[in-house]
Every structure is written in C-alpha cells, then in structure tokens.
Amino acid sequence: MKKLKIKSGSKMKCNNYVLIMAGGVGSRFWPKSRNHFPKQFIDILGVGKSLLQLTYERFLRICPPENIYVLSNEQYKKLVKTQIPGIEESRLLLEPSRNNTAPCIAYATYKILNSNPDANIVVAPSDHLILKENIFLDKINLALNYCASNDALITLGIQPTRPDTGYGYINFRALESEVVFPVQQFLEKPNFEKAKEFVENGGFLWNAGIFIWSAKSIRKAFEIYSPEIATLFEKGNLVYNTDQELDFIKKNYPKSPNISIDYAILEKANNVYTIPADIGWSDLGTWASLHAVADKDENNNAINCLKINLENTDNCIIQLPEGKAAVIKGLSNYIIVDDDKVLLIHPKSDEQEIKQIASKMVENFGTEYL
C-alpha cells in the first residue's frame, strides 16, 4: 500500500465540524441565570470554567478550532469572545432574532457547505454536563464515520436511569449486531406513569438534543421538509464567507420561521437514527438536576460557599455570592440562591414553577429582574 505523501507545512483537511448552540436564556436556572448572563456562561459547577468553555474544550478532540462554530444571540457576542479568547469572527454566528434551533442550524449548514461540501457536522448544546467524556467522544466519532458514508440524521440517545417527566423520549428499534438504530418515533415529555413505562420497556432513550449528520444530508432534509427555510438560506450562497454575509443575515434571518430542528426536520424525516449512549449526561436544566450531580455534605446539601452555618437543614442546594455569609436553619429540600439582585428560597419539589416566577417578577418589578 502506498503511503500518502503530504507536502511539508501542509495540513490534512478535516471534514468534521461542530456547532455549539449557545443562545438560550436558561430561565429555569433563574435567578443565577439571567437574560444578560445566562446559564452557559456561568461556572455553575464550581470548577473555574463555564459550561460553554467546558463544551468548547471537549470538542477540540473532535476537530481543530477553526472548525468549531458558536451559534448565539447578538447580545452575547462580548461574553462569547471573552470566554473563548481568539475565536474568529467568522466562527461566531450571531442570530439577530430568536427563531429557535432550525434556522440557526440551517444558516451554519449553508455557510459550511459553501467552503466544504464534504463536511460532517455535530450539533450540541453548550450547557450540558458529560461526565464520561471518552465514551461520549467515541460515540460522536462513531456517528461521524457512519454519516460520512450514509444519508442519515443521527441523534445521540441517552440511556434513561429513571422515569423522568422533564425530557423528551426517542423510541427506537433495536437490531442485533447493529450500533446505529432506526428511530421509530419522537415523544414529547410524558407524565410519570408513561415515563415509567418507557424505562421498563427498554426501547426508549432520552432526547439530549445532540445531533450528527453530513452537511449534504441535513441540507437535503431542509429542502424536503422545511423548504421555506431552505429557500431563505440558499439565497445567501453567493455571500457566505464574504464581507457581505453579515448584511444578508441581518436582513433575512428574521424572516425565518420560529421552529425547532425537532419539529422542522426530525419528527418528519424517515432517515433518522440513534446511538444509545451512557455518558454520565445531565442537561443541567434545573436546580434539582444540578443538586443531583454536585458534591454534597453529610446532610446531602450542595453548597458553593464556605461561610455558612447550617442547622437541621438537608437535601438543599445553596448558592451564595462570593464572600457572603449565611445562617440557615430548619429547611429540607429547598433551593436557596442569592444573586445579590434577587434572593430565591423555594421548595425543590416545585422548581418547575421557577420560570413562571421569574416572569411574574418582571411583570411586577421590571425587566432588570429577568
């Protein structure tokens, strides 16, 4: 077999690309996550790095930095550039309006295809926890290799560890000796009894919102299932990766429909597959989910501060500003978050109310509290 000769100083072109979705507000993590400084930019785990920074570093093992794009909102441009120093402007794709995930994925897809028609793309949220990184990266590479030679839209499915009503589910068809399985149906967040049934059945996975496909396959899917989006972003083919791109996006992006990639493509397509993955995953979507993975004291309290005196207090998550002292007595299963501007003391069992509580605060006292 002949060895491939590479000229001195040249680099092999990498066809792997990553889209990091970093435009969300993270309202269920209010008041720590606020409109001006949402969850993905916070060191919520107390490790010295934000969730965005941890995600970005993780994907440097998949492709070079020039192939990683951060998709966010215009208002977060400064935050992204501060947290990822040196990121090129061309790799920071800023939506001028919040139109959900399908339009921003389409924008990035057409932009990447403009420079590399052989691109394979990973789409991943910026604010998830993945404890088993090596297994995660193995699954991502498996998916990238598969979609490079198959017209397949792949979603990474998380092995459920409990009945959970906070996640959507993927019903898949298990095939012996296969590692990539056909998806039969996407299901919305179920009630507890239905979630329990899903877990006991074994043919269901949590939908983590992590997708892998070739750029050609997802473009084809947009053309078939969301032609309005395809037509809109095809118009930019002459200006992508030029100095006219930004003007095109500012004028045309707001015309795109407000729709998720799940509704626009995945729930309609007949070439959707999943790879089951046990990767130590959490979407860190709520305070309770953070409490579940955080280090805890002997009374199961997750605390981010040193100057604290607890009495008869258990199963709480407590987040205070640096240097602040607190005395807490007689609380069980509570969320206690002091963000200077807002103090939240709320039962953990009722945390699904937090998004509505934040909206009520804004209604009563103004947008500075969102």
Short mmCIF file of all heavy atoms in Angstrom, two decimals, residues 11 28 65 108 259:
data_model
loop_
_atom_site.label_atom_id
_atom_site.label_comp_id
_atom_site.label_asym_id
_atom_site.label_seq_id
_atom_site.Cartn_x
_atom_site.Cartn_y
_atom_site.Cartn_z
N LYS A 11 -1.47 20.78 5.80
CA LYS A 11 -2.30 20.10 6.79
C LYS A 11 -3.38 19.29 6.09
O LYS A 11 -3.91 19.71 5.08
CB LYS A 11 -2.96 21.11 7.75
CG LYS A 11 -1.99 21.83 8.66
CD LYS A 11 -2.75 22.75 9.60
CE LYS A 11 -1.80 23.47 10.55
NZ LYS A 11 -2.54 24.39 11.46
N ARG A 28 -34.92 28.41 33.64
CA ARG A 28 -35.21 27.54 34.78
C ARG A 28 -34.12 27.60 35.84
O ARG A 28 -34.28 27.06 36.93
CB ARG A 28 -35.43 26.10 34.30
CG ARG A 28 -36.75 25.90 33.56
CD ARG A 28 -36.97 24.47 33.17
NE ARG A 28 -36.01 24.00 32.17
CZ ARG A 28 -35.86 22.75 31.81
NH1 ARG A 28 -36.61 21.80 32.35
NH2 ARG A 28 -34.97 22.40 30.89
N PRO A 65 -9.87 24.03 16.08
CA PRO A 65 -10.70 25.17 16.49
C PRO A 65 -11.33 25.91 15.33
O PRO A 65 -12.43 26.45 15.47
CB PRO A 65 -9.73 26.07 17.27
CG PRO A 65 -8.35 25.59 16.93
CD PRO A 65 -8.49 24.14 16.61
N ALA A 108 -25.84 27.89 9.60
CA ALA A 108 -24.49 27.33 9.75
C ALA A 108 -24.21 26.28 8.68
O ALA A 108 -23.10 26.19 8.14
CB ALA A 108 -24.32 26.74 11.14
N ILE A 259 -38.97 27.90 14.79
CA ILE A 259 -39.26 26.47 14.89
C ILE A 259 -38.01 25.70 15.27
O ILE A 259 -36.90 26.04 14.86
CB ILE A 259 -39.85 25.95 13.54
CG1 ILE A 259 -40.34 24.51 13.68
CG2 ILE A 259 -38.84 26.09 12.41
CD1 ILE A 259 -41.15 24.04 12.48
#
